[in-house]
Amino acid sequence: MNIIALKSVDLAIIALYFVAVLAIGFYLKRFATSGQDFFLAGREMTAWVAGLSFLSANLGSLELLGWAGSAYQYGILAAHWYWIGAIPAMVFLGIVMMPFYYISKTHSVPGYLQLRFGNGASGLSAITFAVMTILMSGVNMYAMAVVMKVMLGWNIHFSIWVSSLTVGIYVAAGGLYSAIFNEVLQFFLIWFGALLIPVFGLIETGGWSGMVARIQSNFPGQDFTHLWSTLGNAQDNPMGMHWTGIVFGLGAVLSMGYWTTDFLVVQRVLSAKDIRSAKMAPIIGSFFKMAVPLIVILPGVLGLAVLPEKLVPESALQAGQHSYNEVLPLMLARYMGPGLLGLGVTALVAGFMAGMAGNVSAFATVWTYDIYRPYIRRQAADAHYVSMGRWCTVIGLFISIATAYVAMGFASIMDYVQALFSFFIAPLFGTVLLGMLWKRATGPGGFWGLLAGVGSSVAMFFWVKLNPGALAIIALSDHAKPLAEDMYRALWSCLINVIVTVVVSLATQPKPLSELKGLVMGVTDIPKEQNVPLLHKPAFWAAVSIAILAILQWIFW
Amino acid sequence: MQRHLIPVWFFVGLLLAVYGVLIAASGIAELGQPAKTVLAELHAPVWWGALLAVVGGIYCVVFRPRG
């Protein structure tokens, strides 16, 4: 039975959204004529547009449903993925790494690796990114289908095909322009569609202390409302996580890898109109990222307090029960009447579609510029590559539809996604960071380091699958849940990458310094900002962002 | 080629304004018999819809396409 039935005003709101995104896509088609337009939105976006798009590309269905589900499962610990697991990395991207991406005029992260390390590391990262992106797109589709099934009773195939075709049409028409415009649109819809849930939840429970009291009554002996105080021992918290996993695995490696090298998000910043905008965009995004737990984590935690039933993992679902991932739709149905319900469902649909659009636009760029152009057809007109980008947008969508069902076998959507990240993203961070900061790193070092990092991550994953006893070695505790395991796997694979890169680089011939100009710290002239007012300086806002992050840790310690 | 791209903020404002009017109207229509949801007595669709309409309207005016 469906959670809710939509009324005509709700259906009108949802239908209007589809009309709006298609109309915007067709409007923008006339502007996406060259490769720079289609793949980088003409490099004319302001810091605010690039920043909101940067954030929204990540604020897809996984964020909304997966993290709300994780908050129900693990409590406020899930907020680590928004705070220490995002803010330092976003600030680091803006202040330290963005100048190199921007000055090198690269079109993508594998494109940067091509300039810095040559074809080996670039090709490997392009292929792994393409695989990961398509799988992620499949996860998005699955998440969307779950919501449509639970909330509306819509046929799973109908949901997948209607939203995929819509995304395919508007991204193929306007390229990154369309993706960015719709991501900004989605940002507003999500906030206006979801903000009432925590507001009403806190009113119902009588505020934060009332919510905590209800959770303690519903789940005696368990702590769901502290960020750090339960992380001293893996057995003391629902995630089975030790603080070292959060600080080093998540904060220092996985989040750095995701926010600074995942081309899905970095592509949005590369569309900025100048280097100051490119530096400001991730910092602007960091402020909104810090606020997202209000509409994602808090509803999940409130679900522990107010929902009359106990939710279960996807793998243990029985008839009449609801899974962790359904907590946000359940909370939506609890508080939202006609009209607001339509807006809430539209926000979720917008999140799904923006997530898919982000994946396919990034896939189209990497496939066209980093695989097709260097390895299949080197010399062709710009129009040919734009045409290829449009075609692989559509083809990428069809492939990702096929992968949607892979996601269904995992207990939590986020477990699946984090496993993928730890395979590809964490090792990549080591390669890009050494490439930007260490002049001595060589092409063979970059390639073999990345290969060793990815290979070791996959090997550790299967080692634990085949021998559960290995969990205590990889994650330092046999109580570790999949998310905790992913953090440590990310940490080890990145360290292996760095060690191999350093050893191989020291044994091979370095590039002349003249070839590293614009790519590596120490041989690149980065524009100074001496005459810029304080309030316009990215470094100032970066400091403010970090200060607010520290205050949040203290409040929710 | 000179580009005259309509700002994304205008599209945001337009959609929010239309949604705001729809939601507020539906809230007003149901004032007599609120939906069977928790805290329905707060009549959120009325004031939340009005807020959306105002924010959307401001964006539409400030970022309207020019010449």
Side-chain angles (χ1 to χ4, degrees):
Chain A
M1 190 180 147
N2 309 335
I3 293 175
I4 41 100
L6 294 178
K7 296 201 169 175
S8 51
V9 64
D10 302 312
L11 293 172
I13 287 171
I14 296 169
L16 257 176
Y17 174 73
F18 279 85
V19 172
V21 296
L22 286 174
I24 291 172
F26 281 116
Y27 164 70
L28 292 170
K29 186 171 188 296
R30 74 192 73 171
F31 297 99
T33 51
S34 71
Q36 172 136 312
D37 295 333
F38 188 84
F39 297 110
L40 286 173
R43 282 205 155 159
E44 58 179 337
M45 296 295 136
T46 64
W48 276 90
V49 173
L52 294 189
S53 169
F54 169 74
L55 180 64
S56 292
N58 162 265
L59 197 62
S61 54
L62 300 175
E63 294 293 310
L64 296 169
L65 296 175
W67 281 116
S70 293
Y72 185 94
Q73 189 176 4
Y74 302 125
I76 201 176
L77 286 179
H80 281 304
W81 273 254
Y82 288 85
W83 292 343
I84 193 173
I87 307 307
M90 293 166 96
V91 167
F92 188 75
L93 171 67
I95 299 298
V96 179
M97 297 177 79
M98 211 56 229
F100 299 103
Y101 281 135
Y102 203 85
I103 291 171
S104 69
K105 297 199 183 306
T106 182
H107 48 264
S108 69
V109 174
Y112 173 81
L113 292 180
Q114 206 282 330
L115 296 170
R116 177 65 182 86
F117 290 119
N119 282 342
S122 170
L124 181 59
S125 76
I127 290 166
T128 54
F129 177 80
V131 170
M132 186 183 77
T133 306
I134 288 299
L135 291 175
M136 289 288 291
S137 192
V139 175
N140 266 296
M141 288 182 192
Y142 163 64
M144 179 209 62
V146 167
V147 172
M148 296 306 152
K149 179 199 76 176
V150 172
M151 290 191 71
L152 313 171
W154 285 359
N155 179 283
I156 200 166
H157 304 293
F158 171 82
S159 304
I160 285 177
W161 283 95
V162 167
S163 58
S164 302
L165 288 178
T166 307
V167 169
I169 291 168
Y170 82 68
V171 176
L176 191 61
Y177 274 121
S178 283
I180 286 179
F181 269 50
N182 284 299
E183 281 156 4
V184 175
L185 199 63
Q186 167 232 347
F187 175 85
F188 283 85
L189 291 178
I190 285 178
W191 274 96
F192 278 109
L195 190 57
L196 282 181
I197 298 176
V199 172
F200 277 24
L202 289 174
I203 292 173
E204 185 187 356
T205 55
W208 180 266
S209 54
M211 179 194 78
V212 173
R214 282 208 198 189
I215 293 173
Q216 285 171 349
S217 164
N218 292 345
F219 300 88
Q222 296 185 61
D223 189 333
F224 289 97
T225 51
H226 287 94
L227 266 183
W228 292 101
S229 60
T230 61
L231 290 178
N233 190 324
Q235 296 177 25
D236 293 343
N237 61 78
M239 198 176 275
M241 178 78 86
H242 188 259
W243 66 269
T244 52
I246 292 290
V247 173
F248 299 112
L250 176 63
V253 175
L254 203 53
S255 74
M256 287 286 176
Y258 175 73
W259 289 102
T260 65
T261 63
D262 187 333
F263 181 54
L264 169 66
V265 288
V266 173
Q267 185 180 26
R268 273 71 192 145
V269 188
L270 289 176
S271 72
K273 63 180 181 177
D274 54 39
I275 190 166
R276 198 188 72 82
S277 300
K279 289 170 77 174
M280 274 304 290
I283 295 165
I284 289 172
S286 74
F287 286 98
F288 290 104
K289 182 73 178 174
M290 266 188 283
V292 172
L294 188 64
I295 55 169
V296 177
I297 303 299
L298 189 51
V301 178
L302 279 162
L304 292 163
V306 301
L307 290 179
E309 59 183 311
K310 289 195 176 164
L311 309 186
V312 297
E314 203 86 46
S315 55
L317 202 57
Q318 294 179 350
Q321 291 183 315
H322 292 289
S323 75
Y324 297 145
N325 296 328
E326 293 165 15
V327 66
L328 197 59
L330 285 166
M331 295 294 282
L332 199 61
R334 183 175 181 83
Y335 298 120
M336 303 291 137
L340 289 178
L341 201 53
L343 184 63
V345 173
T346 303
L348 291 175
V349 171
F352 305 137
M353 292 182 30
M356 272 191 268
N359 281 306
V360 295
S361 58
F363 171 78
T365 306
V366 167
W367 166 264
T368 305
Y369 276 163
D370 298 306
I371 298 174
Y372 182 75
R373 191 167 68 177
Y375 298 108
I376 298 172
R377 190 164 173 185
R378 282 173 184 273
Q379 304 291 337
D382 189 49
H384 174 79
Y385 294 122
V386 174
S387 174
M388 171 55 63
R390 289 202 158 102
W391 275 109
C392 71
T393 296
V394 176
I395 293 167
L397 268 176
F398 281 115
I399 298 171
S400 54
I401 286 171
T403 68
Y405 299 95
V406 175
M408 295 182 189
F410 284 75
S412 161
I413 295 173
M414 292 317 298
D415 294 346
Y416 169 83
V417 174
Q418 295 298 331
L420 278 176
F421 281 162
S422 65
F423 286 170
F424 302 128
I425 286 295
L428 181 60
F429 173 60
T431 304
V432 175
L433 194 67
L434 284 174
M436 284 183 176
L437 302 184
W438 192 40
K439 287 177 277 194
R440 186 65 181 76
T442 67
F447 171 73
W448 288 108
L450 185 58
L451 189 63
V454 172
S456 63
S457 187
V458 175
M460 283 184 272
F461 178 81
F462 284 107
W463 186 25
V464 174
K465 284 278 172 227
L466 296 172
N467 174 20
L471 184 63
I473 301 169
I474 301 290
L476 309 181
S477 165
D478 50 13
H479 295 282
K481 296 286 189 295
L483 273 176
E485 181 196 340
D486 291 333
M487 295 308 104
Y488 283 100
R489 201 168 56 243
L491 177 60
W492 305 138
S493 62
C494 185
L495 284 175
I496 289 168
N497 177 342
V498 169
I499 291 166
V500 172
T501 304
V502 169
V503 170
V504 175
S505 291
L506 291 175
T508 48
Q509 191 69 26
K511 268 186 170 184
L513 290 183
S514 59
E515 291 182 22
L516 299 179
K517 204 172 177 188
L519 301 169
V520 186
M521 186 174 276
V523 288
T524 302
D525 293 326
I526 297 173
K528 297 281 186 293
E529 295 173 341
Q530 285 160 342
N531 299 322
V532 176
L534 183 67
L535 294 182
H536 289 182
K537 283 189 175 178
F540 170 74
W541 291 109
V544 173
S545 180
I546 293 295
I548 296 175
L549 172 70
I551 292 169
L552 286 170
Q553 307 311 298
W554 176 69
I555 291 173
F556 295 100
W557 186 270
Chain B
M1 185 186 81
Q2 186 67 31
R3 292 165 183 271
H4 293 289
L5 203 60
I6 297 174
V8 63
W9 313 113
F10 175 75
F11 294 110
V12 169
L14 194 60
L15 198 62
L16 290 184
V18 174
Y19 279 175
V21 170
L22 278 174
I23 292 168
S26 121
I28 291 168
E30 302 211 357
L31 274 178
Q33 43 176 163
K36 291 174 183 164
T37 53
V38 175
L39 298 175
E41 67 276 15
L42 296 181
H43 302 293
V46 178
W47 47 268
W48 197 247
L51 176 71
L52 252 71
V54 170
V55 172
I58 292 171
Y59 268 67
C60 280
V61 172
V62 173
F63 298 103
R64 67 188 180 279
R66 295 164 204 266

